[in-house]
């Protein structure tokens, strides 16, 4: 909405038309300067993200490009921020830093680093960006996405099984290092396959403890016979 106000010192507005009623109408060019709002016009989406195995984190670095017709110096750098969102996942967010060597005129580039955890879910993540200028104008861009790749990894501790000295005919002998802890260090739920093999005597190779004499289970008292084939266990 534009309002044009014209004042006359010696005569009123209608007196002017009374005195000069014979004059032809004259076009008047009016220039109005309006405030400019910033714009995040480009988000350089990172390529598919391969997460590091736990307990490590992964730094995802990318840029956003902003413009403000009042000049990049009108941008409030301390408000530049982005976040990654995905349904059912924790939001990952960070503030961004202006790249001085890539800022000129009305344009400014910002570098952003999102820290992601090894368990962040695989699939599409939304990228949301935000910045304000010193006139309190706000720019938002939520049109970009990135993807997180599936990672499958586990850690096992201890890495070997040791039994106490076994007496011939003894049964239900528990390993010295029970339990063995299997920790999921990826972002998907793995399926564990356990394969048992005959235990061959070191001094008498013709003597063995058969694989079907070993049992394994998620909890003590729920062990099942492994046998000489694969036994699947959900973890």
């Amino acid at each position: 909405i534009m309002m044009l106000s014209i004042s006359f010192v010696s005569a009123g507005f209608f007196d002017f038309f009374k005195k000069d009623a014979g004059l032809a109408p004259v076009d008047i060019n009016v220039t109005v300067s309006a405030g400019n709002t910033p714009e995040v016009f480009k988000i350089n989406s990172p390529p598919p993200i391969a997460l590091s195995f736990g307990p490590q984190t992964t730094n995802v670095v990318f840029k956003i490009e902003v413009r403000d017709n009042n000049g990049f110096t009108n941008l409030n750098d301390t408000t530049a921020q982005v976040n990654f969102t995905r349904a059912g996942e924790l939001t990952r967010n960070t503030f961004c830093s202006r790249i001085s060597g890539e800022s000129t005129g009305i344009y400014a580039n910002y570098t952003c680093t999102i820290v992601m955890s090894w368990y962040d879910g695989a699939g599409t993540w939304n990228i949301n960006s935000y910045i304000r200028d010193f006139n309190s104008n706000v720019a938002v861009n939520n049109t970009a996405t990135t993807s997180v790749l599936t990672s499958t990894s586990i850690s096992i501790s201890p890495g070997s099984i040791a039994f106490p000295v076994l007496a011939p005919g003894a049964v239900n002998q528990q390993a010295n290092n029970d339990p063995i802890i299997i920790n999921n260090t990826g972002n998907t739920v793995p399926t564990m396959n356990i394969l048992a093999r005959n235990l061959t005597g070191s001094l008498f190779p013709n003597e063995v403890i058969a694989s079907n004499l070993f049992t394994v289970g998620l909890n003590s008292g729920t062990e099942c016979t492994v046998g000489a084939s694969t036994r699947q266990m959900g973890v």
Side-chain angles (χ1 to χ4, degrees):
I1 300 174
M2 177 176 66
M3 179 178 291
L4 177 64
S5 176
I6 303 176
S7 61
F8 299 90
V9 176
S10 59
F13 187 81
F14 291 100
D15 291 336
F16 173 81
F17 281 100
K18 289 178 181 178
K19 294 177 182 178
D20 299 289
L23 296 177
V26 178
D27 292 332
I28 301 176
N29 295 322
V30 179
T31 301
V32 177
S33 177
N36 293 295
T37 58
E39 178 188 6
V40 181
F41 66 91
K42 184 176 182 181
I43 298 176
N44 294 277
S45 301
I49 302 165
L51 298 177
S52 299
F53 298 136
Q56 301 181 68
T57 57
T58 302
N59 291 338
V60 183
V61 183
F62 62 102
K63 293 194 301 185
I64 62 173
E65 301 180 27
V66 184
R67 63 183 165 213
D68 189 321
N69 288 334
N70 289 326
F72 77 86
T73 57
N74 191 46
L75 295 167
N76 187 346
D77 296 337
T78 63
T79 66
Q81 56 185 294
V82 296
N83 64 51
F84 286 1
T85 61
R86 175 177 165 83
E89 300 289 340
L90 294 174
T91 297
R92 302 300 179 188
N93 52 53
T94 188
F95 284 94
C96 305
S97 301
R98 182 166 60 83
I99 307 172
S100 58
E102 298 182 14
S103 303
T104 182
I106 64 173
Y107 298 97
N109 291 344
Y110 294 79
T111 181
C112 313
T113 302
I114 292 283
V115 180
M116 303 197 72
S117 293
W118 73 93
Y119 50 79
D120 286 334
T124 300
W125 287 67
N126 300 311
I127 304 177
N128 307 290
S129 64
Y130 172 95
I131 194 171
R132 298 173 68 95
D133 65 12
F134 288 110
N135 296 326
S136 297
N137 297 311
V138 176
V140 175
N141 187 327
N142 55 9
T143 62
T145 61
T146 188
S147 61
V148 173
L149 302 176
T150 298
S151 62
T152 303
S153 173
I154 60 172
S155 63
I156 301 176
S157 179
S160 61
I161 301 174
F163 285 91
V165 176
L166 302 178
V171 296
N172 297 330
Q173 300 297 299
Q174 191 168 349
N176 286 334
N177 50 359
D178 181 63
I180 292 178
I181 304 299
I182 302 175
N183 187 37
N184 184 5
T185 56
N187 67 353
T188 188
V189 179
T191 296
M192 301 297 301
N193 295 313
I194 299 176
L195 177 63
R197 298 184 184 277
N198 293 340
L199 187 60
T200 303
S202 58
L203 296 179
F204 304 96
N206 61 324
E207 297 181 354
V208 300
I209 300 178
S211 61
N212 61 0
L213 297 178
F214 290 93
T215 60
V216 65
L218 294 178
N219 298 290
S220 179
T222 63
E223 296 87 356
C224 54
T225 300
V226 177
S229 60
T230 301
R231 175 73 186 183
Q232 181 172 298
M233 301 175 60
V235 177

